[in-house]
Amino acid sequence: MIKNIVRGFSALSLALIPLLSAPAAQAAPAPEVTTLADAVGLVKITEEDRTGYTRSSFKHWNSGDDTSDGCNTRNEVLLAEAVVAPTVEAGCKLTGGTWTSYYDGQEVTSAGALDIDHMVPLAEAWDSGASDWTAARREAYANDQGAEASLVAVTARTNRQKSDQDPFDWMPPSPEAQCRYVGEWVATKLRWQLTADDRELEALKVYAEGPCEDSIVRYTPVA
């Protein structure tokens, strides 16, 4: 009987060895959390330079975060942001569904009426540091679903009005959206270590020190 107990204990010990020796799963990094004013203060100032920019420098849309679902990044964002989920047909064709475009507060019931906006436009990202990135990093930026702020589904009209402008030249037409927009703009700049020029920074400070002084910014830097 004693031999059986010892044998059982030895077997249990061997079974525990892989568990004890296996490396712990790496936890996702905790986001940085700060006030909007402090976050604006963390954005570095440089002159902008658009020399050499082409939209094709940022490969998008790629096969998305889930390469097995048959949907590209655009459609994955639409599925993630739907208020009422659309039907997904062959080839990831989306029918039905409802979305709210937060830039203008409009309810949209057709995926085709929406654009997926890069919070910090590709041209602005190029000006602010992405011109020095590798092609792979630019692709990762253009398809970034790792932060909710990076890509947003909005009406095509507002996205095209915004174009490649920064907050000095354009803000969402809905006043209720503006503090969220400034916070997400700054969060995206900090996430990707992008810079700002003087005019842009002054515009951000106006909101951070005024109507949006109570706003909180959350971001997780990309290595």
Side-chain angles (χ1 to χ4, degrees):
M1 180 177 178
I2 293 174
K3 289 182 179 179
N4 289 339
I5 291 173
V6 172
R7 188 180 297 117
F9 180 77
S10 299
L12 178 60
S13 299
L14 290 172
L16 287 173
I17 287 172
L19 296 177
L20 295 172
S21 60
Q26 187 172 5
E32 303 286 341
V33 182
T34 187
T35 64
L36 177 58
D38 285 347
V40 170
L42 294 173
V43 180
K44 295 180 180 178
I45 305 174
T46 60
E47 292 296 321
E48 294 186 351
D49 183 2
R50 196 159 297 186
T51 302
Y53 169 73
T54 61
R55 191 169 174 82
S56 60
S57 298
F58 295 80
K59 181 183 176 182
H60 69 291
W61 305 110
N62 64 18
S63 56
D65 281 356
D66 183 353
T67 57
S68 66
D69 65 2
C71 298
N72 64 11
T73 300
R74 170 187 160 82
N75 282 354
E76 286 185 357
V77 173
L78 288 171
L79 289 168
E81 296 194 4
V83 177
V84 176
T87 300
V88 183
E89 300 179 350
C92 200
K93 180 181 179 181
L94 306 183
T95 58
T98 303
W99 294 262
T100 299
S101 167
Y102 95 78
Y103 287 180
D104 52 6
Q106 296 297 306
E107 182 178 283
V108 181
T109 56
S110 169
L114 292 160
D115 281 355
I116 304 304
D117 181 40
H118 293 91
M119 175 55 59
V120 174
L122 302 181
E124 169 70 21
W126 180 272
D127 296 349
S128 307
S131 59
D132 294 329
W133 292 353
T134 64
R137 187 174 177 85
R138 287 196 287 267
E139 180 179 353
Y141 176 84
N143 297 274
D144 181 20
Q145 294 184 68
E148 291 182 5
S150 296
L151 300 171
V152 289
V154 295
T155 54
R157 178 176 59 86
T158 54
N159 184 45
R160 291 163 198 182
Q161 286 174 349
K162 173 184 173 180
S163 185
D164 58 7
Q165 299 176 94
D166 68 31
F168 181 89
D169 295 305
W170 187 89
M171 288 292 288
S174 172
E176 293 79 12
Q178 292 178 356
C179 288
R180 173 182 170 184
Y181 182 78
V182 171
E184 293 187 348
W185 179 279
V186 174
T188 304
K189 287 253 167 163
L190 292 175
R191 174 170 168 77
W192 288 92
Q193 298 93 55
L194 295 171
T195 61
D197 63 15
D198 289 328
R199 292 194 327 155
E200 175 189 345
L201 197 68
E202 286 307 310
L204 296 172
K205 286 181 178 178
V206 168
Y207 287 92
E209 296 170 3
C212 307
E213 63 180 350
D214 294 329
S215 296
I216 298 298
V217 172
R218 294 175 175 81
Y219 66 96
T220 303
V222 174

